[in-house]
Amino acid sequence: MHIYKVGGAVRDRLLGRPVSDVDWLVVGATVEDMHAQGFRPVGADFPVFIHPKTGEEYALARTERKSGRGYGGFTFHASPEVTLEEDLIRRDLTINAMAEDAQGNLLDPYNGKADLENRILRHVSPAFAEDPLRVLRVARFAARYAPLGFNVADDTLALMRQLSVSGELQALTAERAWKEIERALMESQPQVFIEVLRDCGALHELMPELDGSSQALAPLRQAAEHDQSLPVRWACLMLAIHDTTQINAVNQRFKAPRDCQELAGLVGDCLPLADRARELEPSALLALLQKFDVYRRPQRFEEFIAACQMAAFARGARSYAQADYLRGAASKARGVDVKPLVARGLTGQALGEALKAERLHVLAQHKATASCV
Ligand code: ATP
Ligand code: MG
């Protein structure tokens, strides 16, 4: 039995980047050998095991054949006869298809190291076309390594284009696609993910509603530069869609998490109001705060402000005075105490109206103060 370190750990060590998780490959072993060594299988019919002490993943060398449409359409063949080269050839990119033995020697049958040095994302073999998820993976790696100067090889982009026009991307489940989208959005240059998808025709298949021009992607770019959260980045991306109904359609297509869906919808609807915040009458400002439920959901309003600010930066603004104004308004409205009103004997509708009047009063003061400075 031979054990190799494979995949991202080998790649990132060569790049001098931190290695987060290590994947291991076992050549020349049977399922029984693994059980005998104390490894636990991750699933009934998948040749991957968990190390009893480190908890890391050890996969038996395998070959793969496409047997149908979509992700389910794969048959695996794991056996002690499968060689290292046969296992590595089924992988997506040459830079992901390198292995390292126990002595630290690099095994690199598909020239991943040269591609790494030349900053090229290149598919390993024509079998690349068998899994449409790889289109998203390549775009994600392009977003991650863009700061290092990586580009997608022309013939790989051509394969991605073929996969896109063939309609195969439609076979991806929402869950698999979202996992890639989410990870790509958290990379340092997430706009590159969208640009690569655009350039190979995948964007047209996955999110035809979205304007993939660099101008439309500028808010997302700002969001990444300012280390914003996933919901803010998603909302900023959705600003490249100009219609709220279409934003909702995209949200649902990928089953985006609730916080992402909500924020994208709210930003799509309310950004123009935020931009005019200082001109809004107290009643309009209060309506905005109520819509966000700033009393119970202060964090969501913060994220809304952040997204509006990123959009302003994307238009070339140096600062966004509305941010502090909106924050101040929310905190004033939240600060209105209901207890004195209750103490005055108010209940039900009368209490609601008194509370609203009090909040309008503090917002009017807030507006007056802000216009003095
Ligand atoms: P990350 O740093 O994002 O974890 P990684 O390269 O380790 O990057 P994983 O998703 O952990 O990516 O997968 C481990 C390895 O398995 C990859 O390096 C690649 O060789 C292979 N791999 C994973 N998914 C696919 C796929 N859909 N098609 C082909 N090869 C894949
Ligand atoms: Mg990994």
Side-chain angles (χ1 to χ4, degrees):
M1 160 184 324
H2 293 280
I3 297 181
Y4 302 93
K5 199 182 271 183
V6 287
V10 180
R11 176 197 68 219
D12 285 334
R13 189 186 61 76
L14 288 174
L15 280 174
R17 283 176 52 109
V19 171
S20 47
D21 69 329
V22 183
D23 297 301
W24 301 92
L25 177 68
V26 186
V27 176
T30 61
V31 170
E32 291 71 32
D33 295 335
M34 298 304 280
H35 282 293
Q37 307 247 351
F39 284 88
R40 292 191 319 270
V42 293
D45 30 53
F46 204 63
V48 178
F49 297 81
I50 302 293
H51 191 283
K53 292 223 177 68
T54 64
E56 289 176 334
E57 280 195 4
Y58 285 68
L60 291 186
R62 64 177 192 257
T63 57
E64 281 174 3
R65 271 296 136 60
K66 193 170 169 68
S67 58
R69 213 176 147 84
Y71 188 49
F74 266 103
T75 46
F76 302 109
H77 170 69
S79 95
E81 283 80 51
V82 175
T83 64
L84 178 67
E85 288 74 13
E86 285 171 333
D87 182 279
L88 294 178
I89 203 169
R90 70 178 169 81
R91 292 168 187 263
D92 48 5
L93 294 170
T94 60
I95 63 164
N96 291 343
M98 296 182 277
E100 208 181 281
D101 67 14
Q103 288 73 45
N105 300 310
L106 188 70
L107 295 119
D108 182 21
Y110 306 107
N111 300 317
K113 187 156 183 270
D115 284 339
L116 203 76
E117 282 160 3
N118 296 318
R119 306 306 200 218
I120 296 173
L121 302 171
R122 190 197 309 279
H123 65 285
V124 179
S125 87
F128 179 90
E130 293 184 355
D131 179 7
L133 190 77
R134 292 171 189 159
V135 173
L136 278 77
R137 283 180 58 92
V138 174
R140 171 164 68 80
F141 285 114
R144 180 190 296 177
Y145 297 125
L148 299 178
F150 274 83
N151 284 300
V152 182
D154 289 343
D155 48 348
T156 303
L157 202 64
L159 258 181
M160 291 162 72
R161 196 168 290 130
Q162 253 177 43
L163 258 167
S164 303
V165 298
S166 74
E168 274 281 305
L169 292 174
Q170 305 299 335
L172 285 175
T173 62
E175 289 75 12
R176 282 189 95 204
W178 176 261
K179 235 174 102 193
E180 289 300 324
I181 294 170
E182 174 174 24
R183 296 183 68 187
L185 287 178
M186 294 315 290
E187 296 294 354
S188 58
Q189 294 201 18
Q191 77 282 1
V192 172
F193 173 70
I194 302 293
E195 285 163 356
V196 170
L197 293 179
R198 176 196 69 199
D199 294 346
C200 72
L203 190 64
H204 182 72
E205 293 296 308
L206 297 168
M207 304 184 195
E209 300 86 351
L210 200 125
D211 172 355
S213 68
S214 46
Q215 194 189 357
L217 297 176
L220 173 62
R221 189 186 180 134
Q222 289 293 333
E225 278 174 19
H226 290 85
D227 269 328
Q228 297 292 347
S229 65
L230 176 67
V232 173
R233 292 179 189 216
W234 177 246
C236 284
L237 175 62
M238 291 297 100
L239 284 173
I241 299 177
H242 304 292
D243 173 295
T244 320
T245 321
Q246 292 186 342
I247 293 179
N248 288 335
V250 173
N251 271 326
Q252 255 136 57
R253 188 172 313 141
F254 297 104
K255 299 192 184 145
R258 205 184 158 136
D259 53 352
C260 290
Q261 292 210 17
E262 270 182 9
L263 192 68
L266 286 164
V267 172
D269 278 342
C270 302
L271 179 133
L273 285 175
D275 284 351
R276 291 192 297 114
R278 279 141 61 104
E279 294 137 51
L280 294 180
E281 290 307 322
S283 57
L285 189 53
L286 184 61
L288 180 69
L289 299 178
Q290 309 274 49
K291 185 168 172 142
F292 277 85
D293 193 6
V294 292
Y295 316 107
R296 284 182 301 176
R297 307 274 308 267
Q299 178 61 23
R300 186 173 61 174
F301 193 59
E302 267 305 319
E303 293 192 310
F304 167 71
I305 295 172
C308 297
Q309 184 163 20
M310 296 306 114
F313 289 167
R315 294 191 301 266
R318 295 268 178 116
S319 61
Y320 191 65
Q322 289 80 346
D324 278 341
Y325 184 76
L326 285 167
R327 254 178 226 126
S331 120
K332 292 262 160 47
R334 258 198 307 272
V336 170
D337 192 359
V338 72
K339 280 190 221 102
L341 305 175
V342 174
R344 265 165 44 200
L346 295 169
T347 56
Q349 202 182 342
L351 178 63
E353 277 165 17
L355 195 58
K356 183 175 174 188
E358 197 53 42
R359 285 172 176 157
L360 287 172
H361 175 68
V362 295
L363 290 179
Q365 276 180 335
H366 182 57
K367 186 171 157 77
T369 320
S371 59
C372 293
V373 287

